[in-house]
Amino acid sequence: MTLFLQNFFLLSSWGTLLALCVLACIFLLLRQVRKYLSFSQRMFLGLLCGVGFGFGMQYFAGFPQKGVSELSNALIWYSQTYAWINFLSAIFVNFLKLIVVPIVLIGILYVILNLRSDIKLSSMFSRSLFWLLLTTGIASGIAVLLGTYYALGEGFLLDGSKEIREVQGLDQILLGLMPSNIIETMAKNAVVGVVIFAMIFALSIRSVGDEHPFYQSFVRCVDFLHQVMMKIAMLVIEFMPYAVVTMISGVLMRYGIEAVSPVLKFIALIYLSALCVFVVHAIVLSLHGLNPLLYFKKAIPALMMAFTSRSSVATLPVTIDVLEKRMGVSSMSSSFVATLATTIGANGCAGYFGGLVGVFAFHALGIEVGLVQGIMIVLLSMVASIGVAGIPGIATMVASIVLTGLGMGEHFGILAIVLAIDPIMDMARTMSNVSGGMIASIAVDKELGMLDEEKYKS
């Protein structure tokens, strides 16, 4: 009976039941305060509760230094509690991923079919690409400067013991973005392929236009489906404060404090770079005559979701909702630019992360980082940002591309420092990725004269 409870229900310990009861009380608290706290405030409360719960579990477990899988026998209640928390987090993230493809497909159709005749799609795309790649290049440059100033990687010995992802050439990367089977592309949540298909499909429909009697009916059908998908997204988003609790506590329970201590400088520079990137985003908004403080206040739900889920794609429904409902961005820009930002111009994963990895590699090999090396790192980071999937852990591939481009393909052991604690850095990177996409959406909308500034200022 004990084995049945342990292996099937994962409830063989009183400690597990007690921990789940505490988690249930936290959920009940978040539900009860709905009438008194705004959504952003409940998100922040969820973050605090998640941090408290995670550290509490670590404390009662004696701050274990082993991984969760290695504690299954020594601390059954701890491993079982983590399994339940991971299960709840996975449910929420899977629901978000479930609606990503419909939102992207219908969103692109809605954008193009309702695009004003005086606005060219090429103009929106070129402006989006400009701001996404510019902010990514600046983010990488900031990381190079910080990494050089703080001598990141000096005295570190590469062991080359960690396995990395296969590195592809630029032609293979671009070819991989082109969908060959739309059903397979949708099944894999390959956002770029869905965007390409949706754009071709929508442009073909628009070229037919009113010549076909069914055209206006199809446009109205797309409008209806767009509203339905936004309703579904809002339904899922309502559970975000609860998901924040499980996701942040899960990270703390799995990796703890000891896992991050050997690479504190790398982690510190990741978060310092993220802070600097936020300053860059504030400058971009100021150049467009917008108050950056209002942006950061209203962007909290999307940034919090990005921080905890570590997935730009999973955060996409929240991002679009925040841009439209809170910041006055048109549905055209929010759907098109925000979706594009999940695959191009990742300020965090390809920007400052690529920059720091490049500097670390040079210093670890005893090579001084000068102007030429810095420019190489920035350019490679920008190239690596094209086609980056907005899913957790993809920055490892970006680092591989940067190192290969720098001629350090045989020194992939550099990634050993990040593979163990990558999720802790990935939270900041993903938050920067999402913020960069939102900034690009606002900038493009403002330049095209479609931004509702009254809603932005309200």
Side-chain angles (χ1 to χ4, degrees), residues 63-268:
F63 295 99
Q65 298 183 10
K66 296 181 179 180
V68 175
S69 59
E70 299 176 30
L71 294 172
S72 57
N73 294 324
L75 291 171
I76 296 177
W77 68 269
Y78 190 84
S79 59
Q80 289 181 346
T81 303
Y82 173 77
W84 277 102
I85 286 176
N86 192 49
F87 168 71
L88 294 173
S89 300
I91 288 178
F92 181 76
V93 173
N94 285 345
F95 266 115
L96 281 174
K97 290 181 179 180
L98 177 68
I99 62 176
V100 165
V101 168
I103 281 182
V104 171
L105 180 60
I106 295 172
I108 297 297
L109 288 174
Y110 176 81
V111 167
I112 296 179
L113 294 180
N114 290 278
L115 196 64
R116 296 203 318 247
S117 58
D118 59 330
I119 297 177
K120 293 183 179 180
L121 185 63
S122 59
S123 176
M124 180 177 289
F125 178 78
S126 60
R127 291 172 188 268
S128 304
L129 201 62
F130 170 78
W131 285 113
L132 289 172
L133 292 181
L134 177 65
T135 52
T136 299
I138 294 174
S140 182
I142 290 172
V144 170
L145 292 175
L146 289 175
T148 304
Y149 180 79
Y150 288 102
L152 180 66
E154 287 189 1
F156 186 85
L157 298 177
L158 298 177
D159 58 17
S161 61
K162 293 290 182 178
E163 180 182 354
I164 63 151
R165 304 183 186 205
E166 179 185 358
V167 179
Q168 297 177 323
L170 180 61
D171 59 331
Q172 291 299 313
I173 293 175
L174 296 177
L175 185 61
L177 300 179
M178 298 299 296
S180 58
N181 185 316
I182 188 57
I183 303 299
E184 181 182 2
T185 299
M186 291 180 176
K188 292 182 177 179
N189 264 1
V191 178
V192 177
V194 175
V195 170
I196 293 174
F197 173 79
M199 289 179 62
I200 296 174
F201 188 49
L203 290 172
S204 300
I205 293 172
R206 185 159 179 160
S207 65
V208 174
D210 292 322
E211 298 176 4
H212 197 285
F214 186 66
Y215 177 75
Q216 290 300 331
S217 299
F218 184 81
V219 172
R220 288 193 293 270
C221 180
V222 170
D223 292 344
F224 171 74
L225 291 176
H226 184 260
Q227 293 185 37
V228 171
M229 289 311 305
M230 290 301 104
K231 288 289 185 181
I232 295 175
M234 282 304 302
L235 181 64
V236 177
I237 290 169
E238 279 297 315
F239 290 93
M240 274 181 56
Y242 309 97
V244 166
V245 175
T246 59
M247 286 189 286
I248 195 67
S249 61
V251 170
L252 291 174
M253 287 182 66
R254 181 173 182 180
Y255 299 99
I257 301 174
E258 295 297 328
V260 304
S261 57
V263 284
L264 285 179
K265 181 185 283 190
F266 204 108
I267 296 173

Side-chain angles (χ1 to χ4, degrees), residues 350-399:
Y352 55 75
F353 181 72
L356 289 176
V357 167
V359 172
F360 188 96
F362 276 125
H363 283 169
L365 294 173
I367 303 173
E368 184 179 351
V369 178
L371 179 61
V372 175
Q373 289 82 4
I375 292 175
M376 287 173 58
I377 294 172
V378 171
L379 291 177
L380 284 169
S381 297
M382 293 174 67
V383 170
S385 74
I386 300 175
V388 174
I391 58 176
I394 198 65
T396 305
M397 185 65 207
V398 173

Side-chain angles (χ1 to χ4, degrees), residues 320-334:
I320 294 174
D321 180 76
V322 168
L323 286 171
E324 292 183 13
K325 302 287 180 60
R326 291 170 169 254
M327 300 184 184
V329 177
S330 67
S331 59
M332 299 178 186
S333 294
S334 63

